[in-house]
Amino acid sequence: MGGGYFITHPAYRQYQVTVTDPEHPITKDLDEFFVTDEMYITTSDSRNNVLAQALWKDGTVPVVWTKDWGKGNVCWIALGHDPKACENENFHTLLARAAVWAATPRPEEG
């Protein structure tokens, strides 16, 4: 249901988050930003809509994604692992927007 699973995490550190879907209501008008947090390295289902990612080794890992689940909406955010990380203003924005988006019913498919 979540769209992926945890593999590992490197040491707590600063890293850059890049928005990959700037038109989605959750990430609209957000620019790249830095966080100091614990980066979760996860798998990601190909059906996920990755909204933001971060560099990891020779590639990228998703840090925000959405997906449909039945008639519902799922949003996963891999940020905010402790009170200090939760102070990041972009994290506040993502979390608030994700809550609204996830609670908004999708239009009925015809």
Side-chain angles (χ1 to χ4, degrees):
M1 178 180 149
Y5 62 89
F6 174 81
I7 297 172
T8 190
H9 61 84
Y12 197 90
R13 65 190 180 96
Q14 184 180 60
Y15 60 93
Q16 185 173 354
V17 174
T18 302
V19 173
T20 55
D21 186 347
E23 299 304 315
H24 195 281
I26 295 173
T27 50
K28 191 165 184 67
D29 299 322
L30 286 180
D31 292 321
E32 292 180 337
F33 60 94
F34 286 89
V35 296
T36 301
D37 205 339
E38 183 176 49
M39 177 190 279
Y40 270 25
I41 310 304
T42 65
T43 64
S44 179
D45 188 307
S46 62
R47 296 170 292 183
N48 295 346
N49 178 23
V50 176
L51 304 182
Q53 61 189 15
L55 294 175
W56 171 246
K57 294 193 175 183
D58 293 332
T60 60
V61 294
V63 295
V64 181
W65 73 60
T66 61
K67 69 177 289 184
D68 299 341
W69 184 259
K71 293 183 178 181
N73 301 314
V74 174
C75 180
W76 181 82
I77 302 173
L79 306 173
H81 287 94
D82 66 12
K84 184 71 176 162
C86 290
E87 293 174 7
N88 183 290
E89 197 59 40
N90 289 300
F91 172 73
H92 287 227
T93 299
L94 289 167
L95 189 60
R97 289 178 180 179
V100 170
W101 178 83
T104 303
R106 288 194 317 271
E108 291 292 324
E109 296 178 12

